[in-house]
């Protein structure tokens, strides 16, 4: 069997500067401790215990209540999971409108909305929206059992209504006051108990409005510099509103910026996100945000938490984020991952610092690890298989760059052959990665060695595995092997070819 070991600092000289810089290697995947930026209050306090319940695989979090959370699978199926014991209820693929509540509001048909109280298990309640007065209703969102509808009156224009199922069985249908007369293109952006954040257009520009559901009135409006339909993620709390703005650049591309507004003072704070597809949440005194994993092969900035109480700087709070939703208690639930705790659903809270707790886990690792191999023999006979030698290594996820380097044992700093596997599409989950060698030399980075076949003898091999998305640390392996061939006539260089 070949000798396999993880790199140590004394062996890192065998790597070129490029490979060495890309890998942080130990006897396993490294966990980087969060580091606070100067001037930033305390960082993240992580709970490292295993999650008590399971989070559905290949799914994102959609909404959360006091007793459970709603997730949506990549196939479009919704599932409610109880926090108490992890039991789930399949809700099918009906469009979901609800937020921040145990009441899940779906749209089973074009003329119907359905209210399900997942906490009590009561029979669903259907509201026929085509019978509501005031104009043609189109549901755009819901907070608890309150459904927000965009209404087109017979005499023109657009209104916002709140539709409810009352305790006596009747249906409430009330217009919201405070929107401008020319408001149009209403969208539901975010919600917390008693409050909704709605996007709209007015005077040719995009805006947001905070709606008090109890008084049925707009309590604040905010200018949005980007198209309202673009807002990928937005959040509202008792003190702030936040949304993602797409800012055009001079080269024709766009940058996503995060806009945070104090609801009392009106103070606006603009944060550069470092990328696109940003997901945002608001917790006590903090805004937390991170880039969505829309491209698993693209490097992403680490998610950030920024204090809203005057402290400068930012601090990491988790390793990656794919979806965020507000919870009724003022926390947010985040689907993402931590190298220390793995993939799953985390509850994030604010206060003196930002803390996270693993609520439900998928059982998947966030960091990159080697799960099998490499299958490199101690003695490599290049006369077999026509000299074609596959090097296969199993990895925990395949959005990685895998580099193999081979050097002669007596000159380990001189690379004889190198090859690199870097997927651009295809599966990103766990599986094998294979690179093929034919016993040849390869010129690399300026031609360190001439082309041709390597000679027989002792060699050192090195394999580096680096995450392409920047999440987690790299892993490095090394070992030795002997290259042999049968003697050939007139082969004076001992490389298997006659001279």
């Amino acid at each position: 069997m070949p000798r396999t070991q993880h790199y140590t600092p004394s062996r890192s000289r065998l790597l070129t500067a490029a490979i060495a810089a890309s890998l942080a290697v130990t006897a396993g995947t490294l966990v980087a401790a969060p580091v606070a930026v100067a001037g930033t209050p305390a960082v993240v306090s992580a709970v490292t215990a295993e999650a008590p319940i399971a989070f559905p695989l290949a799914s994102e979090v959609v909404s959360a209540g006091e007793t459970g959370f709603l997730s949506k699978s990549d196939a479009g199926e919704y599932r409610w999971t109880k926090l108490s014991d992890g039991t789930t209820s399949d809700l099918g693929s009906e469009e979901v409108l609800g937020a921040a509540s145990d009441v899940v509001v779906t749209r089973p048909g074009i003329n119907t909305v359905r209210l399900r109280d997942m906490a009590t298990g009561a029979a669903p309640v259907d509201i026929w929206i085509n019978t509501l007065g005031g104009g043609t209703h189109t549901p755009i969102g819901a907070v608890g059992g309150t459904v927000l509808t965009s209404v087109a009156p017979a005499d023109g224009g657009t209104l916002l209504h709140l539709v409810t199922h009352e305790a006596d069985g009747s249906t409430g249908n009330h217009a919201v006051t405070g929107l401008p007369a020319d408001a149009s293109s209403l969208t539901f952006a975010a919600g917390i108990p008693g409050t909704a954040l709605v996007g709209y257009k007015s005077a040719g520009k995009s805006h947001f409005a905070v709606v008090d559901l109890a008084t049925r009135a707009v309590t604040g409006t905010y200018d949005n510099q980007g198209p309202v339909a673009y807002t990928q993620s937005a959040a509202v709390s008792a003190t702030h509103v936040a949304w993602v703005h797409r800012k055009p650049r001079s080269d024709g591309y766009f940058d996503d910026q995060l806009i945070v507004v104090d609801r009392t003072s009106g103070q606006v704070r603009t944060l550069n996100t470092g990328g696109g597809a940003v997901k945002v949440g608001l917790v006590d005194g903090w805004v937390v945000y991170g880039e969505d994993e829309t491209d698993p092969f693209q490097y992403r900035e680490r998610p950030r938490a920024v204090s809203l109480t005057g402290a400068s700087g930012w601090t990491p709070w988790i390793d990656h984020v794919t979806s965020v939703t507000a919870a009724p208690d003022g926390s947010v639930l985040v689907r993402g991952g931590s190298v220390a705790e793995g993939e799953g659903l985390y509850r994030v809270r604010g206060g003196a610092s930002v803390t996270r707790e693993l609520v439900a886990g998928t059982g998947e690792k966030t960091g990159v690890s080697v799960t099998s191999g490499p299958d490199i023999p101690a003695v490599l006979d290049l006369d077999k298989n026509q000299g074609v030698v596959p090097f296969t290594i199993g990895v925990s996820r395949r959005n990685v760059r895998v580099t193999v380097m081979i050097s002669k044992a007596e000159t380990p700093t001189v690379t004889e052959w190198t090859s690199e596997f870097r997927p651009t599409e295809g599966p990103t989950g766990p599986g094998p990665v294979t690179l093929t060698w034919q016993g040849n030399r390869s010129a690399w980075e300026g031609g360190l060695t001439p082309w041709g076949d390597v000679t027989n003898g002792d060699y050192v091999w090195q394999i580096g595995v680096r995450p392409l998305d920047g999440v987690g640390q790299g892993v490095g392996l090394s070992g030795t092997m002997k290259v042999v061939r049968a003697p050939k006539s007139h082969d004076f260089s001992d490389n298997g070819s006659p001279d």
Side-chain angles (χ1 to χ4, degrees):
M1 296 294 291
R3 179 173 59 86
T4 303
Q5 65 183 33
H6 288 264
Y7 293 134
T8 63
S10 63
R11 293 189 61 86
S12 63
R13 63 184 179 86
L14 302 182
L15 291 172
T16 66
I19 299 301
S22 70
L23 295 176
V25 288
T26 64
T29 304
L30 277 178
V31 177
V35 179
V37 177
T40 303
V43 194
V44 175
S45 172
V47 178
T48 57
E50 290 186 4
I53 60 176
F55 188 85
L57 293 173
S59 300
E60 299 296 335
V61 65
V62 174
S63 67
E66 295 180 0
T67 68
F69 60 86
L70 187 69
S71 59
K72 182 182 180 181
S73 72
D74 291 347
E77 298 292 325
Y78 291 91
R79 185 174 297 275
W80 179 266
T81 301
K82 287 186 177 180
L83 290 169
S84 59
D85 57 11
T87 57
T88 62
S89 301
D90 187 358
L91 301 183
S93 57
E94 297 175 3
E95 178 188 1
V96 170
L97 304 171
S101 173
D102 288 317
V103 177
V104 176
V105 180
T106 63
R107 194 176 180 186
I110 190 172
N111 292 319
T112 311
V113 291
R114 178 169 293 162
L115 282 63
R116 292 184 175 93
D117 191 331
M118 306 306 295
T120 65
V125 174
D126 287 348
I127 298 177
W128 297 88
I129 60 174
N130 61 331
T131 62
L132 299 174
T136 302
H137 288 251
T138 302
I140 62 171
V143 180
T146 300
V147 181
L148 289 81
T149 64
S150 176
V151 182
D155 57 355
T158 304
L159 300 175
L160 178 64
H161 277 221
L162 305 181
V163 178
T164 57
H165 177 71
E166 304 297 336
D168 61 2
S170 63
T171 299
N173 178 21
H174 305 280
V176 172
T177 61
L179 283 177
D182 67 340
S184 64
S185 303
L186 303 183
T187 60
F188 179 80
I192 57 175
T195 304
L197 183 64
V198 175
Y200 66 95
K201 289 184 178 180
S202 174
K205 297 182 179 180
S206 298
H207 311 267
F208 286 102
V210 172
V211 179
D212 186 309
L213 303 183
T215 62
R216 306 165 192 147
V218 171
T219 60
T221 59
Y222 310 91
D223 294 337
N224 177 23
Q225 300 173 10
V228 66
Y230 173 74
T231 302
Q232 300 172 334
S233 184
V236 61
S237 71
T239 59
H240 291 81
V241 294
W243 67 89
V244 179
H245 158 59
R246 168 157 281 191
K247 180 182 178 181
R249 300 188 329 205
S250 59
D251 58 4
Y253 291 92
F254 297 87
D255 287 325
D256 280 352
Q257 290 183 325
L258 182 59
I259 311 298
V260 186
V261 185
D262 188 305
R263 291 179 57 186
T264 301
S265 67
Q267 180 183 7
V268 179
R269 191 168 185 174
T270 302
L271 302 173
N272 292 321
T273 63
V278 175
K279 303 300 180 185
V280 59
L282 290 167
V283 292
D284 184 16
W286 296 79
V287 58
V288 294
Y289 60 99
E291 295 178 51
D292 186 6
E293 194 175 81
T294 53
D295 184 351
F297 301 104
Q298 181 66 41
Y299 178 81
R300 297 187 303 277
E301 295 284 349
R302 192 171 183 186
R304 300 178 176 187
V306 175
S307 173
L308 299 175
T309 59
S312 62
W314 61 273
T315 181
W317 55 285
I318 202 169
D319 287 312
H320 83 101
V321 172
T322 58
S323 52
V324 177
T325 191
D329 64 353
S331 65
V332 296
L333 291 185
V334 175
R335 171 66 179 93
S338 158
V339 173
E341 298 147 85
E343 293 293 296
L345 186 68
Y346 289 81
R347 188 180 298 278
V348 178
R349 302 182 188 277
S353 64
V354 176
T355 62
R356 71 168 184 255
E357 175 190 2
L358 183 60
V359 173
T362 67
E364 302 166 306
K365 291 184 177 180
T366 297
V368 173
S369 61
V370 175
T371 58
S372 63
D375 54 351
I376 301 176
V379 178
L380 188 59
D381 188 343
L382 290 179
D383 286 329
K384 295 181 178 179
N385 303 318
Q386 297 181 333
V388 177
V389 182
F391 295 144
T392 300
I393 183 172
V395 289
S396 58
R397 55 184 173 95
R398 280 174 285 182
N399 54 336
V400 293
R401 175 183 296 164
V402 180
T403 303
V404 178
M405 299 173 64
I406 297 175
S407 306
K408 299 187 73 170
E410 61 267 29
T411 56
T413 58
V414 178
T415 302
E416 295 285 317
W417 178 82
T418 185
S419 183
E420 183 177 88
F421 171 88
R422 182 173 180 172
T424 57
E425 59 184 11
T428 60
V433 172
T434 300
L435 299 98
T436 301
W437 186 43
Q438 293 178 297
N440 61 296
R441 292 190 179 100
S442 62
W444 185 62
E445 286 193 356
L448 300 179
T449 58
W451 297 94
D453 296 324
V454 300
T455 61
N456 294 329
D458 294 325
Y459 286 83
V460 174
W461 57 261
Q462 300 162 85
I463 295 179
V465 182
R466 171 185 164 190
L468 286 176
D469 59 3
V471 176
Q473 303 293 326
V475 177
L477 304 171
S478 70
T480 60
M481 64 181 178
K482 181 182 289 290
V483 171
V484 299
R485 303 179 185 86
K488 302 294 191 301
S489 177
H490 299 286
D491 179 14
F492 301 110
S493 60
D494 198 25
N495 66 354
S497 302
D499 300 312

